[in-house]
Amino acid sequence: MTSELFSPLSLRSGHMLNNRIAKAAMEENMAGDGQLPDKELFGLYRRWAVGGTGLLITGNVMVHAQALTGPSAVAVDLGKHSNRFGRPVAMTPEQIQATVTRYAVTARRAEQAGFDGVEVHAAHGYLLSQFLSPLVNKRTDQWGGSLENRARMLLDVVRAARAAVSPSFAVAVKLNSADFQRGGFDADDARQVIAMLEPLGVDLVELSGGSYESPAMSGRPADARTQAREAYFLDLAKDLVKTSPLPLMLTGGITQRHTAERVLDSGVAIIGMGTALAVTPDLPDRWRQGREADEQLRSVNWSDKALASAAGMAQVRHQLRRIARGSRPTPNTHPAFALISEQRKQRRALRRYRAWLSTSQSAA
């Protein structure tokens, strides 16, 4: 009998996934000249494609060259690391509408470029997630206060994106199942937002959780009551799937086949993986053959949660670069080495980006 893990899934837009395994979005930080994909990035995704993954979601694509964030003038609180982030200013109504339009333009360009769909990122403390959060969104206008108001920008983005592409182009949304911060966006909020998304032609909702202040998506929430484990958000997903009118995808901490099957047994339609595929890009094919990964990524047990989260993401990017070059992953790489190495690469990339941005703005 074929496992549901390898059964097909038809999306609302008409696309057929050949299995229920998705490679979730990760920050590769591997753009080439002109912020365009180069041969290494293509090589990385080719490895995942031949490894048996049914759905590939790319790393995030900014809709604005200056990557605007923050609905209100509320700074990120990372304790002693807070000064690494600039102080935000509240977006004006004109900036909000312009950003909605940019999402639509980006979706249309993605379709023109040959993608099968886009995912609107409204999780992990990014802009749309900040609008949803009552802890961050302190606005008193039509974008603040009630959940309906806080969800307004997300819903407008989805409507605009859906209208900008063809009916056969998939539109998904990535949503926090919860922020894991007291008084923040919670599972009941997520349930209501999913219901709001259903009439807008959304194909799929990916559930994750946390933010950079409470990095539950990496298994390190600031709230000690939520312990890191396989399938971090499964308990919340089990609750949300009971009422969801849309197929759900669950991402976070899935590394073994039995865990993936347990997630699907709960009613979730697709399991998403990031770190596991950064270590073992052919993991889906291994599962089909009854095998598991040979190694797991080295754990980071530092007391500084923000720094541990950054080191964990650096470890993942270090593996992605190796895979892109055609090398074998080295999951036992020391997190401190990965963090320092990635920080150096990011500083060089930032210099190139600033030079490109300056040249682009001058040309415009």
Side-chain angles (χ1 to χ4, degrees), residues 162-178:
R162 182 76 272 175
V165 299
S166 64
S168 61
F169 189 76
V171 175
V173 173
K174 187 167 189 170
L175 189 69
N176 273 357
S177 54

Side-chain angles (χ1 to χ4, degrees), residues 51-89:
T53 305
L55 172 63
L56 296 176
I57 304 176
T58 68
N60 53 12
V61 175
M62 297 300 181
V63 301
H64 194 292
Q66 295 179 335
L68 293 176
T69 57
S72 313
V74 178
V76 173
D77 182 8
L78 289 177
K80 64 184 179 182
H81 302 292
S82 299
N83 60 3
R84 294 175 179 268
F85 296 84
R87 179 80 187 185
V89 294

Side-chain angles (χ1 to χ4, degrees), residues 54-263:
L55 172 63
L56 296 176
I57 304 176
T58 68
N60 53 12
V61 175
M62 297 300 181
V63 301
H64 194 292
Q66 295 179 335
L68 293 176
T69 57
S72 313
V74 178
V76 173
D77 182 8
L78 289 177
K80 64 184 179 182
H81 302 292
S82 299
N83 60 3
R84 294 175 179 268
F85 296 84
R87 179 80 187 185
V89 294
M91 293 179 76
T92 66
E94 293 75 19
Q95 287 175 322
I96 291 173
Q97 186 52 55
T99 303
V100 169
T101 301
R102 287 176 182 274
Y103 273 96
V105 170
T106 304
R108 183 168 63 248
R109 289 179 178 173
E111 183 174 27
Q112 293 169 345
F115 284 88
D116 296 315
V118 291
E119 180 179 63
V120 177
H121 199 337
H124 297 174
Y126 288 101
L127 180 65
L128 297 177
S129 177
Q130 291 179 17
F131 268 87
L132 290 170
S133 170
L135 293 179
V136 179
N137 186 343
K138 301 299 184 182
R139 303 180 72 99
T140 57
D141 56 13
Q142 61 182 318
W143 292 280
S146 67
L147 179 60
E148 289 75 13
N149 282 357
R150 288 183 277 118
R152 188 182 305 277
M153 187 176 182
L154 169 61
L155 301 180
D156 285 348
V157 164
V158 172
R159 285 191 196 95
R162 182 76 272 175
V165 299
S166 64
S168 61
F169 189 76
V171 175
V173 173
K174 187 167 189 170
L175 189 69
N176 273 357
S177 54
D179 287 345
F180 296 98
Q181 291 176 279
R182 289 179 177 85
F185 187 83
D186 60 23
D188 188 57
D189 292 330
R191 180 182 295 103
Q192 294 181 63
V193 172
I194 292 170
M196 296 176 196
L197 292 170
E198 194 279 332
L200 306 186
V202 171
D203 289 78
L204 177 72
V205 173
E206 178 186 359
L207 296 176
S208 188
S211 66
Y212 286 95
E213 292 168 300
S214 183
M217 62 280 196
S218 59
R220 301 178 182 88
D223 189 338
R225 295 175 303 171
T226 305
Q227 298 298 319
R229 61 187 188 282
E230 285 268 322
Y232 307 141
F233 313 112
L234 181 54
D235 291 342
L236 292 170
K238 283 179 179 178
D239 182 43
L240 292 172
V241 80
K242 295 174 185 176
T243 58
S244 176
L246 295 170
L248 301 181
M249 168 178 160
L250 182 65
T251 299
I254 300 170
T255 63
Q256 300 178 68
R257 177 171 174 167
H258 71 86
T259 305
E261 291 179 332
R262 183 160 57 93
V263 171

